């Protein structure tokens, strides 16, 4: 997949702030309480942060697709024509009956990491750094030059300023990279970044250069890895009910590139989920491992998270439908999650709890 297909030309909208603990949930909670909160004059007071942080929280919520910007149906002259609403996926994750309302499961960090890079991505610099940069060891300056070269070649995109790209790279390194213990401020800054716990970027003991951590990740839950694969399939519009692991690994922007996994790693990561999910299987019709699934990929992707977290939200869905704003109880829903699917999820949950199911 090309950058122009995967991402939007958005640069340095985070006000130089990397995502902090609680910001993803804070964006969801604020938008749920008041879709116009981020544009209100008293937003800093209501959110308990500075004005620049208000914009940063809004950006990171949008980037992780837990909230979405939509036209304001009541817009009048002088009022901002858009509002921010929770997405259906944001509701399924952070809602009162959601998968992980308080982000207590380490797997949720991998889930949010995937959503930041999933199509449509609001972080093209990050997408290039993780999905289209082949070096394992690197200096930030070399990464920056590679990113600028790639951005200049994107058709129909206005070339961003060097300053904007540098701000995005700085946020990237502060989000994922090892901390430099040069001051109390940098240590505190690093301690407040949840995605640093993923340890995707470290340092080479031999050279001191930054280094991507390749291979299996201890905190990457199999269900989240499988969810990301099916979510990616739903977003890219791939047809059929099977895909080879080699193709997943070869595609830029796939979970394999976002999680830094090769084909063998991906097979190992997916195996536990495949073993317990009725809708997933591994096949080798030509000797090449393939992942197969039954039903709609977005539905199966949501089902996997319900299985992992042991919770069935009211409206579990993934893929592009999950990025849509929540639907009120009095509005019709085009949710593809049928009653049959929800019943199966409740049965599994009941069995897990030791009951007969419904």
């Amino acid at each position: 997949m090309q950058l122009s297909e995967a991402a939007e030309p958005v640069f340095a909208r985070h006000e130089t702030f990397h995502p902090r603990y609680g910001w993803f949930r804070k964006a969801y909670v604020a938008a749920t309480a008041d879709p116009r909160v981020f544009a209100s004059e008293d937003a800093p007071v209501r959110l308990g942060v500075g004005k620049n942080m208000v914009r940063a929280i809004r950006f990171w919520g949008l980037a992780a697709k837990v909230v979405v910007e939509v036209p304001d149906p009541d817009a009048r002259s002088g009022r901002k024509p858009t509002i921010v609403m929770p997405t259906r996926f944001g509701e399924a994750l952070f809602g009162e009956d959601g998968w992980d309302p308080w982000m207590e499961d380490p797997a949720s960090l991998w889930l949010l990491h995937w959503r930041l890079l999933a199509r449509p991505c609001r972080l093209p610099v990050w997408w290039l750094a993780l999905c289209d940069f082949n070096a394992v060891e690197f200096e930030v300056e070399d990464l920056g030059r590679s990113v600028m070269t790639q951005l200049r070649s994107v058709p129909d995109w206005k070339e961003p300023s060097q300053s904007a790209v540098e701000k995005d790279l700085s946020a990237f390194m502060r989000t994922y990279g090892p901390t430099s213990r040069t001051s109390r401020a940098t240590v505190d800054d690093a301690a407040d970044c949840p995605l640093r716990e993923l340890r995707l970027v470290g340092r080479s003991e031999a050279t001191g250069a930054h280094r991507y951590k390749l291979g299996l990740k201890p905190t990457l839950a199999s269900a989240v890895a499988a969810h990301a694969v099916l979510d990616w399939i739903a977003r890219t519009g791939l047809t059929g009910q099977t895909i080879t692991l080699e193709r997943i690994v070869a595609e830029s922007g796939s979970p394999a590139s976002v999680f830094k996994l090769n084909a063998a790693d991906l097979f190992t990561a997916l195996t536990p989920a495949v073993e317990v999910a009725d809708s997933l299987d591994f096949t080798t019709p030509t000797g090449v491992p393939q992942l197969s699934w039954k039903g709609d990929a977005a539905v199966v992707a949501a089902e996997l998270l319900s299985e992992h977290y042991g919770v069935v939200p009211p409206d579990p869905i993934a893929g592009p439908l999950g990025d849509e704003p929540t639907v009120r109880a009095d509005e019709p829903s085009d949710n593809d999650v049928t009653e049959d699917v929800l019943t199966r999820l409740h049965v599994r949950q009941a069995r897990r709890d030791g009951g007969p199911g419904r």
Side-chain angles (χ1 to χ4, degrees), residues 166-180:
E166 289 175 354
K167 288 176 182 177
D168 279 338
L169 282 175
S170 174
F172 175 78
M173 294 306 300
R174 283 182 283 117
T175 298
Y176 298 107
T179 181
S180 175

Side-chain angles (χ1 to χ4, degrees), residues 3 10-11 121-130 143 147 151 160 164-166 168-169 172:
L3 175 64
V10 176
F11 303 94
C121 174
R122 286 175 172 254
L123 294 156
V125 170
W126 290 29
W127 193 93
L128 288 171
L130 280 170
L143 176 58
V147 166
L151 290 173
V165 172
E166 289 175 354
D168 279 338
L169 282 175
F172 175 78

